[in-house]
Amino acid sequence: MAPSPEPPGGVPVTRSNWALVRTVGGLGILALLLCLLGTGPFLDGLRLIDGWALAVALGIGALTTVCCAWRWSLVSAGLGVRLPLGTAVAHCYRAVFLNSTLPGGVLGDVHRAVRHGRDAGDVGRGIRAVVWERTAGQVVQAGIALAVLFAFPSPVRSYLPAATGLVLAGGLGAVLLARALSRGGNARWAQALRTTRADVRDGLLAHGKWLGVLVASTVVVAGHLATFLVAARTAGATAPLSQLVPLTFLALLAMGVPANVAGFGPREGVAAWAFGAAGLTASQGIATAMVYGALVLVASLPGAAVLLIALRHGSTKENDGRGTARRDSSDPGHGAAAVPRWIRHDRAGVLLRRLGGRPGASRLRTR
């Protein structure tokens, strides 16, 4: 199969277009909401944010960030790329800030994955560690959300049995397909399946790790839920918690959709629909989602300080780094060559590498 054509700048067409589609998708949702409801719901809630809400958001953000870092550290140790908790906390703060300010909502996680992989000398394991710890968090959040949506009235309650059945069937089908491909003589699929099994066994299910991953993920979900409820009260929602909690989980699940602009887009659209369908108002849903986004951004501001410190520290080593980069340029296991091709050439990946991941800043160790 011929490789995908690349424009003169070296950015693969498919990757560039997909990044554009994700950004346009988030902008399209926001534009539709603006056309239907005007600017009022987007601004009204923001005017109501007070010092108490900001202080609570900072406190909850610190707790959830430490728990995310703990989960990442556990998974990384299981995969053989150990990560000190303090370093993980700093990287997670920086990732949350980048996620809250850059399109896509996941670029901060891409940055910390590649950076940790470089520091550990194994970019592949570093990326897989972040993928698995994020996946574990999403699975725990989906499980808690499903239990809450079954237990309390919500606009989707009547559709849950069918939706749950489809998800389970899809997951089972994916597992069976992967096993069939691996047994059909496809060496690539067989290797991927072996790697997946080993990662899940060592990184998530190993003795003493699964409980820590579960506890950390549960606390993170509880923190997101609490922040959203604070946002709802700040935006003026007076509905009982038994009504707000299911709506909150619907909005949190929508945040997993990568078509957003710095986290804004699907969250506001789902919140508007869910609040309106539950007998509240779409405007209140948008106001709550906007306040939540603002609170998360404020809670991530320590990550901006981490980023500035990293940039300043990196600039002092730039001259030495250039010499190291020249020495390592002929070694395919070092520098930029160790980073997956799509990250090296994607425009967002280039930006993230400039934010503190200079290949020449430190010499990697081969494994």
Side-chain angles (χ1 to χ4, degrees):
M1 180 180 296
S4 300
E6 295 187 8
V11 180
V13 174
T14 54
R15 291 289 179 183
S16 179
N17 289 345
W18 173 235
L20 179 62
V21 167
R22 289 183 302 182
T23 303
V24 171
L27 290 174
I29 294 174
L30 295 175
L32 178 61
L33 294 174
L34 283 170
C35 290
L36 294 176
L37 301 173
T39 60
F42 289 88
L43 301 177
D44 292 343
L46 297 178
R47 297 191 184 103
L48 297 175
I49 297 177
D50 54 17
W52 175 85
L54 295 176
V56 172
L58 280 169
I60 295 175
L63 176 62
T64 57
T65 301
V66 170
C67 286
C68 284
W70 178 34
R71 181 178 66 200
W72 183 22
S73 182
L74 289 173
V75 176
S76 296
L79 297 187
V81 282
R82 295 188 178 277
L83 179 66
L85 182 59
T87 302
V89 171
H91 286 348
C92 282
Y93 257 123
R94 178 169 54 190
V96 173
F97 175 74
L98 293 174
N99 287 344
S100 301
T101 54
L102 295 177
V106 296
L107 296 179
D109 294 308
V110 173
H111 180 247
R112 68 180 169 103
V114 174
R115 187 62 183 271
H116 172 50
R118 283 177 168 171
D119 292 341
D122 193 325
V123 175
R125 288 177 186 263
I127 292 176
R128 298 205 311 271
V130 171
V131 169
W132 285 118
E133 68 93 4
R134 287 273 299 185
T135 300
Q138 292 296 319
V139 169
V140 172
Q141 177 174 282
I144 296 175
L146 193 62
V148 169
L149 292 173
F150 267 114
F152 295 95
S154 72
V156 299
R157 192 177 190 180
S158 60
Y159 304 101
L160 284 179
T164 303
L166 288 174
V167 171
L168 293 177
L172 179 60
V175 171
L176 294 177
L177 178 61
R179 289 173 63 93
L181 290 172
S182 64
R183 291 177 178 177
N186 191 317
R188 184 176 181 181
W189 277 97
Q191 178 61 36
L193 186 59
R194 286 194 297 269
T195 301
T196 299
R197 287 174 176 171
D199 286 353
V200 172
R201 181 186 65 244
D202 300 334
L204 299 177
L205 302 181
H207 177 70
K209 285 185 170 51
W210 68 269
L211 182 59
V213 171
L214 177 61
V215 170
S217 301
T218 302
V219 174
V220 171
V221 173
H224 293 332
L225 173 64
T227 303
F228 207 97
L229 293 177
V230 169
R233 294 304 190 208
T234 302
T238 57
L241 292 180
S242 60
Q243 187 176 14
L244 285 177
V245 169
L247 306 182
T248 294
F249 272 111
L250 291 175
L252 291 177
L253 291 175
M255 291 173 57
V257 179
N260 62 69
V261 181
F264 294 89
R267 179 182 62 214
E268 284 67 31
V270 170
W273 168 80
F275 273 64
L280 304 176
T281 65
S283 297
Q284 195 168 69
I286 293 178
T288 298
M290 290 296 295
V291 173
Y292 176 82
L295 295 181
V296 169
L297 178 60
V298 170
S300 73
L301 289 180
V306 173
L307 180 60
L308 290 175
I309 293 172
L311 288 172
R312 183 176 180 181
H313 180 70
S315 64
T316 62
K317 295 185 175 182
E318 186 170 1
N319 291 333
D320 293 339
R322 287 173 180 170
T324 305
R326 285 194 295 269
R327 291 193 300 271
D328 290 347
S329 61
S330 60
D331 187 346
H334 291 76
V339 182
R341 184 173 180 273
W342 69 268
I343 294 178
R344 296 202 311 270
H345 294 292
D346 185 78
R347 289 190 178 95
V350 173
L351 172 61
L352 290 175
R353 288 195 290 130
R354 291 175 179 173
L355 290 176
R358 295 182 178 87
S362 62
R363 185 178 178 86
L364 296 177
R365 301 179 302 277
T366 57
R367 295 181 65 87

